[in-house]
């Protein structure tokens, strides 16, 4: 649904870009003010949805990048895991008494954290759906920005340069 709304928004924007109905800028100022009121209002549902979706996208991107790294170089992941486990193995071999083990926590904590986090970075089908939707929205905006810049509507930079993201454009 969000992709359909984005498509409608970009086609509306593209069809109204060349129209000069607001020479003084008053309409754009009013629109900007209204958008700020909607987004910055207390208990804004739109703000809540945008933040929730941004968090879902960030989570999916982290898991996707971790999965890609693990898939591209499984040996590197095993080496890092083995390296992080070395302090724990050393403590086990030295037979350090239990009351003194908490003193070694700074040495063993990275390995413990890595083991605790590993189940959380498994890529899911929901992640793929979130990334697919983000790519579709990204494509819509970049296509509209390119068309707008091609028609003389954009000077240097523009939306296309701001939205260029290698993670989303793959």
């Amino acid at each position: 649904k969000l992709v359909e709304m984005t498509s409608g928004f970009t086609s509306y924007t593209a069809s109204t870009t060349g129209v000069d109905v607001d020479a003084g800028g008053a309409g754009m100022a009013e629109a900007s003010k209204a958008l700020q009121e909607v987004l910055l209002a207390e208990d804004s549902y739109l703000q809540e949805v945008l933040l929730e979706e941004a968090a879902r996208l960030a989570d999916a991107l982290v898991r996707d990048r971790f999965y890609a790294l693990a898939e591209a170089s499984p040996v590197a992941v095993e080496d890092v895991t083995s390296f992080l486990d070395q302090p724990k193995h050393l403590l086990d071999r030295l037979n350090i008494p239990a009351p003194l083990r908490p003193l070694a926590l700074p040495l063993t904590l990275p390995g413990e954290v890595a083991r605790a986090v590993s189940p959380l970075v498994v890529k899911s089908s929901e992640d793929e759906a979130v990334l697919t939707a983000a790519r579709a929205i990204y494509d819509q905006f970049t296509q509209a920005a390119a068309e707008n810049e091609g028609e003389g509507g954009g000077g240097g930079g523009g939306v296309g340069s701001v939205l260029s993201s290698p993670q989303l454009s793959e």
Side-chain angles (χ1 to χ4, degrees), residues 9 12 24-26 32 34 40 45 47 66 74 82 86-87 89 118 146 154 170:
F9 173 75
Y12 173 78
S32 177
L40 301 177
Y45 178 71
Q47 184 183 51
F66 182 80
S82 174
Q86 287 305 313
H89 295 310
S118 65
E170 293 177 338

Side-chain angles (χ1 to χ4, degrees), residues 9 59 67 83 116 147:
F9 173 75
D59 285 344
Y67 182 78
F83 175 75
E147 290 171 2

Side-chain angles (χ1 to χ4, degrees), residues 45-110:
Y45 178 71
L46 180 59
Q47 184 183 51
E48 183 180 322
V49 168
L50 289 174
L51 286 174
E52 186 176 307
E53 291 303 314
R56 286 179 63 208
L57 177 59
D59 285 344
L61 279 171
V62 167
R63 281 190 288 273
D64 182 62
R65 294 294 89 200
F66 182 80
Y67 182 78
L69 174 67
E71 194 173 66
S73 182
V75 174
V77 173
E78 290 173 15
D79 288 346
V80 169
T81 304
S82 174
F83 175 75
L84 292 174
D85 283 338
Q86 287 305 313
K88 183 179 182 308
H89 295 310
L90 178 63
L91 290 174
D92 290 343
R93 279 184 266 150
L94 292 175
N95 293 323
I96 294 181
L100 297 178
R101 285 201 174 238
L103 296 174
L105 186 61
L107 300 174
T108 60
L109 189 60

